[in-house]
Amino acid sequence: MSTTTTLSRPLYADVVDLDRYPIHELGSERGRALIDSCRQELAKDGCCTLEGFIKPEAVARMVALANQLESKAWVSDRPHNVYFEPFDETVEPDHPLAFQVRSAKHGIAYDYIPEDAPLRRLYESDDLTRFIGAVLERPVLYRSADPLDAFQITLFKPGEELGWHYDRSEFSVTVMYQKAEKGGDFEYVPALRTKQDECYDEVKKVLHGDRSRIKVQSGEPGTLAFFHGNCAMHRVTPVEGETPRINSVLTYGEHEDMRLNDLTSELFYGRTSPR
Ligand SMILES: O=C(O)CCC(=O)C(=O)O
Ligand SMILES: [Fe+2]
C-alpha cells in the first residue's frame, strides 16, 4: 500500500493546463518558480501573459456558451473620458478630463453563466484566487462580491471597442477565448500615471496619437493576462471582420464586499441586481 498522500483532483483540472501552470501546488518548487516568473514579467512590462493557460477544449466550450448566451447580453455604447467620470467642461476640450472616447460591447452578466461553465468553476476556486494574490503580492485577496460583474463574458462584435481608460480596480485579470480577424488588440501604456501624479501631459499625448509608449498584445485564445489597469491606461481597438472577440474579465479586490456602483452596473448590464 502506498503511504503517499493522494491529492484530490482539482475541480478545474479539465480547465487549466496544470502541467505547465501548477496553480494547485503553489508551495512546490514549480509553483514558486511560476509565481516568480509572473512577478518579474509584471514588474518589467506592467502586464503578464500566460499563453495556453486554459486548455483548448475549455476555450471551445466558453466560445460555444458565449454564442448561446448572446441574446442575454447587455449592449452598451457610449462616450466617456479615460477616468469614467463626468466630462469636465471647465477645461480645454483636448484635456484628458474632457476628451471623449467610446466604449461599445456586449456584456453577459455573471448570473447568466451556468455554475458548471469551465471558467466559472475556475474563477470560483480558491486555488486561482490564491495564485492571483501570490503574483500580486497581496496577503489577502477576495473575489468580487458583485452578482453581475464579478465574472462575466464579453463579446466585441464588429465595430465595437473599448476606449482608452483606467480601471477603477487596481489590477485586472482577463482570459481570451476568441480573437477577431482584425483589430480587437489590447493596447496599454505601462505606468502612465502614478498614485501621486495624473501625468495629464503624457495622457494627452497618447490620446492624440503618440504611440511611442504603447505596448500591444493580441492575446491568443487560452491566454490568461494580469495587468495593472489602474496605472496602465489601456484600450481594446475596434474589431474588424465578422468574428467577434470574446473574453472574460475576472474581478478581485482587497475588500470582501467589492461591488460596482449602480451607475456602472446600469451601464454595463442594464440593471443593478441579479435576476
Ligand atoms: O477586454 C480586454 O482585454 C480588457 C477589458 C478591460 O479593460 C475592462 O473591462 O476594463
Ligand atoms: Fe479596463
Side-chain angles (χ1 to χ4, degrees), residues 17-271:
D17 182 345
L18 292 173
D19 292 332
R20 213 168 148 192
Y21 300 108
I23 61 165
H24 59 315
E25 351 176 292
L26 293 179
S28 70
E29 205 173 310
R30 285 182 343 108
R32 288 199 302 271
L34 170 64
I35 293 168
D36 277 353
S37 74
C38 292
R39 283 182 184 168
Q40 280 170 24
E41 196 183 322
L42 200 56
K44 181 169 157 278
D45 300 331
C47 186
C48 165
T49 52
L50 304 179
E51 283 196 12
F53 190 89
I54 306 297
K55 290 182 173 178
E57 309 77 51
V59 171
R61 285 179 61 191
M62 292 307 292
V63 171
L65 183 63
N67 289 325
Q68 193 187 318
L69 291 175
E70 191 189 317
S71 63
K72 309 284 187 205
W74 182 255
V75 187
S76 52
D77 187 344
R78 66 141 199 179
H80 58 86
N81 64 17
V82 306
Y83 310 102
F84 284 111
E85 275 167 13
F87 294 111
D88 187 339
E89 285 160 11
T90 65
V91 294
E92 288 164 26
D94 67 344
H95 188 282
L97 288 167
F99 193 90
Q100 298 202 4
V101 297
R102 166 193 181 237
S103 285
K105 64 178 189 177
H106 284 58
I108 301 167
Y110 198 10
D111 61 350
Y112 280 123
I113 303 171
E115 281 177 11
D116 65 349
L119 259 289
R120 180 163 174 169
R121 279 187 284 123
L122 177 63
Y123 176 65
E124 291 176 357
S125 78
D126 291 342
D127 286 357
L128 186 72
T129 309
R130 267 194 290 270
F131 169 59
I132 308 279
V135 172
L136 296 167
E137 302 181 59
R138 306 289 144 154
V140 273
L141 189 67
Y142 299 97
R143 291 187 281 280
S144 162
D146 196 285
L148 307 180
D149 184 63
F151 171 71
Q152 37 25 55
I153 303 174
T154 306
L155 292 100
F156 291 89
K157 310 265 291 180
E160 294 186 329
E161 64 182 301
L162 215 50
W164 284 114
H165 67 280
Y166 291 107
D167 292 342
R168 295 244 163 204
S169 54
E170 208 175 318
F171 50 83
S172 303
V173 179
T174 57
V175 174
M176 181 61 81
Y177 307 128
Q178 179 171 278
K179 277 170 73 166
E181 282 148 38
K182 195 159 175 249
D185 290 329
F186 178 73
E187 294 191 341
Y188 67 105
V189 185
L192 186 60
R193 73 172 177 187
T194 65
K195 285 198 167 61
Q196 294 76 34
D197 186 353
E198 287 291 348
C199 306
Y200 286 132
D201 285 345
E202 291 299 311
V203 174
K204 205 160 145 180
K205 281 190 209 161
V206 178
L207 295 177
H208 288 85
D210 176 3
R211 298 193 55 85
S212 60
R213 292 179 62 185
I214 295 178
K215 296 194 178 213
V216 184
Q217 193 211 91
S218 65
E220 291 304 315
T223 299
L224 180 135
F226 295 74
F227 58 96
H228 285 303
N230 187 256
C231 290
M233 193 167 79
H234 55 282
R235 70 167 172 176
V236 176
T237 62
V239 163
E240 296 173 46
E242 290 306 304
T243 312
R245 174 191 197 260
I246 308 176
N247 74 341
S248 281
V249 179
L250 281 49
T251 309
Y252 299 89
E254 282 177 272
H255 304 287
E256 211 166 349
D257 199 33
M258 193 179 110
R259 288 166 202 266
L260 286 184
N261 61 19
D262 285 358
L263 203 87
T264 319
S265 189
E266 279 288 353
L267 171 72
F268 287 130
Y269 303 105
R271 56 200 164 103

